[in-house]
Amino acid sequence: MARRPITGQTRLAAVIGDPVRHSLSPAIHNAGFEALDLDWAYVALPVSAGGGADALAAMATFGLEGLSVTMPLKDEIAAAVDVASDAVTALGACNCVVRDGDRLVGHNTDGDGFVQALTEESGESVDGKSVAVVGAGGAARAIIDALGRTGAASIVVVNRTLDRAERAAALASVATVAAADQAVEAIAACDVVVNATSVGMGWVPGGSGGAADLPIPLEGLRSGQIVADIVYQPLETPLLAEARARKLVTVGGVGMLVHQAAIAFEHWTGQPAPLDAMRAAVADLIS
Ligand code: NAP
């Protein structure tokens, strides 16, 4: 299908952050607009730290329909939106802004995107599951918050820096922390194991690193578990390769990437997101 021409009627959405030129979001969202034949376009706008409030004012001035927000602006946008979702209030981080009349409404779609991807790809609901989340950064925090809201029975947080794990675990009433010397046992006791650290990112098959590329002690993996990795570059991380070799159910990071974008797309356009087209756009860019 030929790309729609951009006209005076075209509605605009954008990702803001720094760096942002490498972002996959324009490809994902423009593929979605094209699949639904919507007269919308999505671009990347570099905005440095400290520029969040000005970017929101510009969104209102220019009548942009939606913003995705990436590093380093998620915290300042969370503080500057007119209305914050429960997730934004809990996390102090916003990755999606929606224009609702005169008001700019902030959402955080990362956690729900993860839960949707996990459910879709594993065929299992998180309801009633015990989950080990390894990592306590921005993505882990969003995942812990969403797991807590969607019925996980228990969450154990494992992180290199213990006090960060404690702050992340405070986001969900069912979450506790495991110290390094209890990590193997705690992970082995869970139904679902999630790598939410950046370990494994950029890994090249056959490259150097070895155990340094594995965020999770392999002794913690056991049959019956679902193993998810939110790192999406490469598509198959060392952790996912190890889990697959053990015949465990695996969930890669692309699903979260696509679903968090799909939730934003639906907020902006009011239309069900064309997930297959959005996923195909990512597949063209990542191997
Ligand atoms: P972040 O806030 O910087 O947090 C990084 C986390 O990784 C922290 O828990 C950190 O531990 C841990 N970590 C980093 N290096 C480590 C190492 N060598 N050993 C053990 N732990 C280590 O980053 P983020 O925003 O949460 O993102 C984390 C990863 O998720 C990135 O790779 C990002 O690309 C990916 N991500 C994917 C999606 C998706 O849609 N699939 C969405 C968001 C993020 P400390 O606390 O001890 O420093």
Side-chain angles (χ1 to χ4, degrees), residues 71 74 110 134-140 159-161 164 196-199 201 212 230-232 253-254 256-258 260:
M71 292 225 311
K74 290 184 179 184
D110 275 338
V134 181
N159 191 50
R160 182 178 62 175
T161 309
R164 236 178 150 194
T197 75
S198 46
V199 176
M201 190 168 65
I230 71 164
V231 169
Y232 53 80
V254 166
M256 174 178 172
L257 182 68
V258 169
Q260 61 79 27

Side-chain angles (χ1 to χ4, degrees), residues 33-261:
F33 298 148
E34 194 175 330
L36 297 188
D37 196 25
L38 297 180
D39 189 6
W40 285 59
Y42 184 106
V43 295
L45 302 174
V47 177
S48 319
D54 283 349
L56 280 188
M59 178 185 185
T61 301
F62 292 136
L64 302 188
E65 303 296 342
L67 285 182
S68 307
V69 183
T70 187
M71 292 225 311
L73 301 174
K74 290 184 179 184
D75 301 7
E76 52 185 281
I77 295 290
V81 287
D82 299 318
V83 182
S85 71
D86 289 348
V88 170
T89 302
L91 299 167
C94 171
N95 76 339
C96 166
V97 185
V98 182
R99 211 155 52 82
D100 178 16
D102 290 344
R103 299 181 318 164
L104 300 180
V105 183
H107 296 269
N108 193 312
T109 66
D110 275 338
D112 288 339
F114 171 79
V115 170
Q116 287 184 9
L118 182 77
T119 305
E120 180 189 73
E121 292 183 32
S122 70
E124 299 265 355
S125 159
V126 299
D127 198 20
K129 295 279 192 307
S130 54
V131 186
V133 177
V134 181
R141 289 170 58 80
I143 288 168
I144 292 163
D145 173 63
L147 288 170
R149 282 186 287 102
T150 45
S154 65
I155 303 165
V156 61
V157 183
V158 178
N159 191 50
R160 182 178 62 175
T161 309
L162 194 58
D163 69 325
R164 236 178 150 194
E166 282 162 355
R167 287 200 299 279
L171 289 162
S173 60
V174 295
T176 55
V177 170
D181 60 351
Q182 304 155 356
V184 169
E185 214 173 48
I187 290 167
C190 286
D191 304 316
V192 182
V193 182
V194 184
N195 172 40
T197 75
S198 46
V199 176
M201 190 168 65
W203 178 76
V204 182
S208 61
D213 293 318
L214 286 165
I216 288 170
L218 294 179
E219 312 89 281
L221 300 185
R222 58 156 180 84
S223 71
Q225 285 176 323
I226 299 167
V227 177
D229 199 330
I230 71 164
V231 169
Y232 53 80
Q233 179 95 49
L235 291 175
E236 183 165 74
T237 60
L239 174 66
L240 292 179
E242 291 285 352
R244 194 167 51 84
R246 288 165 170 74
K247 304 202 182 328
L248 307 183
V249 175
T250 58
V251 177
V254 166
M256 174 178 172
L257 182 68
V258 169
H259 278 275
Q260 61 79 27

